[in-house]
Amino acid sequence: MWPLWPLAALLALSQALPFEQKGFWDFTLDDGLPMLNDEEASGADTTSGIPDLDSLPPTYSAMCPFGCHCHLRVVQCSDLGLKAVPKEISPDTTLLDLQNNDISEIRKDDFKGLQHLYALVLVNNKISKIHEKAFSPLRKLQKLYISKNHLVEIPPNLPSSLVELRIHDNRIRKVPKGVFSGLRNMNCIEMGGNPLENSGFEPGAFDGLKLNYLRISEAKLTGIPKDFPETLNELHLDHNKIQAIELEDLLRYSKLYRLGLGHNQIRMIENGSLSFLPTLRELHLDNNKLSRVPAGLPDLKLLQVVYLHTNNITEVGVNDFCPVGFGVKRAYYNGISLFGNPVPYWEVQPATFRCVTDRLAIQFGNYKK
């Protein structure tokens, strides 16, 4: 009997945060950081949970594509060298795994009859073309993973039921207005690893979306785009070419819990820029070119984690992290990283970290020219 691990992976997946997915779901992992809880970070409601398997018709156990493994409405056809989506897929299938094959095109009727499909995995194929009506039958699809392919554009007519889209590591250069039209349930988009520049986002490209998670890492952004959804709780723009944070760059993103800007070329953060982020809890500015601790950190009452390692910071002031007076900051820091900076640490006053949980939360040293 085929083991239950594909179904177990789906169950774990549907309950995890977008950036916590591992193993079987071959996604780019985040740095090992404290994670927000599900309620805070996922924004998922009853439409984004585990599909109600008991409400579906009985499984058609006799229907299983040749070479695939089928069990409990899970059809696993990965690593088979497939050139096309196989036929004879049971109509009650909820998870279809086609990753690591040689599929180059998704045709009009490839998913015909799969009206109960919940998750579709097409990662690491050679897909360059998707018919405009290919996803029309997938009325209950919530998770679409199509990363590591040859797509030059975001697929048209995505199902209105979609909650999560993973489309990183393709060849997408443009996000046109209207491509996400009607996707009112979408709360997570991962589209890093595409050659996207700031000019590649048409005005209004994200109109109507209520995302809480967006990641566009390993792209060609030179600044923080100002037209992302204002509902975002997490924004990750690491491994880009961003050089500065100007005063109103973050004005729209007042609901952010987590902001990832590591591995850029940031030299300057204009005073007052961070004041637009009153709910921020984690700030990642590691591996940049900052020469000082960003101004405004003491005013962020909920901030708990700050990554500033591997910059050019030469001085740390006594009030750079903590507000003056007691009882002002609502949440103490539980992580401040400053290693890899040319700071004379013996000159840093102990009172600098008066609003840190304990000394183990501070990381110093290991600077090399």
Side-chain angles (χ1 to χ4, degrees):
M1 180 179 295
W2 179 248
L4 300 181
W5 65 265
L7 179 60
L10 172 61
L11 299 181
L13 172 64
S14 62
Q15 297 176 351
L17 301 185
F19 49 87
E20 289 183 303
Q21 303 179 39
K22 302 177 181 178
F24 177 71
W25 311 100
D26 186 20
F27 302 132
T28 302
L29 298 180
D30 205 72
D31 290 334
L33 302 167
M35 298 300 181
L36 302 176
N37 63 46
D38 288 355
E39 181 179 356
E40 293 171 333
S42 71
D45 55 24
T46 55
T47 66
S48 61
I50 302 171
D52 185 2
L53 300 181
D54 293 333
S55 67
L56 298 178
T59 181
Y60 297 84
S61 57
M63 296 182 64
C64 188
F66 179 78
C68 301
H69 298 283
C70 305
H71 188 70
L72 295 178
R73 302 182 177 91
V74 173
V75 178
Q76 200 266 335
C77 302
S78 64
D79 303 278
L80 295 177
L82 298 177
K83 303 293 184 181
V85 176
K87 304 297 183 183
E88 298 183 354
I89 298 174
S90 173
D92 67 348
T93 299
T94 56
L95 167 62
L96 176 57
D97 174 18
L98 295 167
Q99 68 178 313
N100 303 329
N101 281 293
D102 296 321
I103 301 170
S104 60
E105 179 181 357
I106 302 299
R107 297 165 297 190
K108 179 181 177 180
D109 295 327
D110 277 347
F111 306 120
K112 185 178 180 180
L114 300 182
Q115 59 181 347
H116 295 295
L117 199 64
Y118 169 82
L120 175 59
V121 185
L122 294 164
V123 175
N124 196 28
N125 276 276
K126 300 177 181 178
I127 300 169
S128 61
K129 183 178 180 181
I130 298 178
H131 192 278
E132 62 179 8
K133 295 184 178 181
F135 297 127
S136 296
L138 307 181
R139 299 174 183 176
K140 296 184 179 180
L141 190 71
Q142 293 192 25
K143 299 179 183 291
L144 176 59
Y145 306 127
I146 197 165
S147 302
K148 299 183 180 179
N149 278 284
H150 300 163
L151 294 174
V152 296
E153 63 180 5
I154 295 171
N157 303 317
L158 292 169
S160 60
S161 57
L162 205 61
V163 172
E164 186 174 333
L165 174 65
R166 301 273 177 169
I167 197 168
H168 63 272
D169 289 313
N170 277 279
R171 302 172 183 177
I172 298 168
R173 296 181 177 272
K174 183 178 181 180
V175 182
K177 182 177 181 179
V179 72
F180 298 124
S181 179
L183 301 180
R184 297 179 180 178
N185 297 313
M186 183 84 80
N187 66 26
C188 169
I189 295 180
E190 157 66 272
M191 56 190 307
N194 286 287
L196 281 163
E197 300 179 1
N198 287 70
S199 59
F201 300 99
E202 286 190 359
F206 294 87
D207 283 358
L209 289 182
K210 296 182 179 180
L211 298 180
N212 65 42
Y213 180 96
L214 177 62
R215 187 168 197 166
I216 307 177
S217 59
E218 298 176 270
K220 297 183 178 181
L221 302 181
T222 55
I224 298 177
K226 298 181 177 64
D227 201 24
F228 292 152
E230 60 184 9
T231 56
L232 283 173
N233 295 144
E234 297 200 33
L235 177 59
H236 298 269
L237 302 174
D238 47 288
H239 290 87
N240 275 283
K241 299 179 180 180
I242 299 171
Q243 300 180 19
I245 301 176
E246 299 180 352
L247 183 58
E248 297 186 356
D249 280 353
L250 300 171
L251 174 63
R252 185 177 175 86
Y253 310 125
S254 61
K255 295 180 174 63
L256 284 182
Y257 293 162
R258 200 175 192 219
L259 176 60
L261 292 167
H263 293 271
N264 276 280
Q265 301 172 15
I266 300 172
R267 297 177 179 273
M268 183 273 294
I269 299 178
E270 192 170 354
N271 286 356
S273 301
L274 300 179
S275 65
F276 298 114
L277 306 176
T279 63
L280 193 68
R281 301 180 185 185
E282 295 188 14
L283 177 60
H284 301 249
L285 287 164
D286 54 285
N287 291 277
N288 278 285
K289 298 182 179 181
L290 295 171
S291 59
R292 53 166 293 185
V293 176
L297 296 184
D299 300 323
L300 299 178
K301 296 181 179 182
L302 300 179
L303 189 62
Q304 300 175 50
V305 176
V306 183
Y307 279 18
L308 290 167
H309 55 270
T310 318
N311 275 278
N312 298 322
I313 298 171
T314 58
E315 181 181 357
V316 177
V318 70
N319 295 318
D320 278 352
F321 294 99
C322 304
V324 177
F326 294 95
V328 180
K329 189 168 173 57
R330 289 171 54 190
Y332 275 35
Y333 292 100
N334 54 44
I336 296 177
S337 67
L338 284 163
F339 63 88
N341 283 288
V343 176
Y345 299 108
W346 54 89
E347 294 181 5
V348 178
Q349 300 183 35
T352 301
F353 305 110
R354 58 189 177 275
C355 61
V356 179
T357 52
D358 59 66
R359 64 181 183 178
L360 296 179
I362 308 165
Q363 298 180 13
F364 271 158
N366 300 324
Y367 175 71
K368 297 180 180 180
K369 291 185 178 180

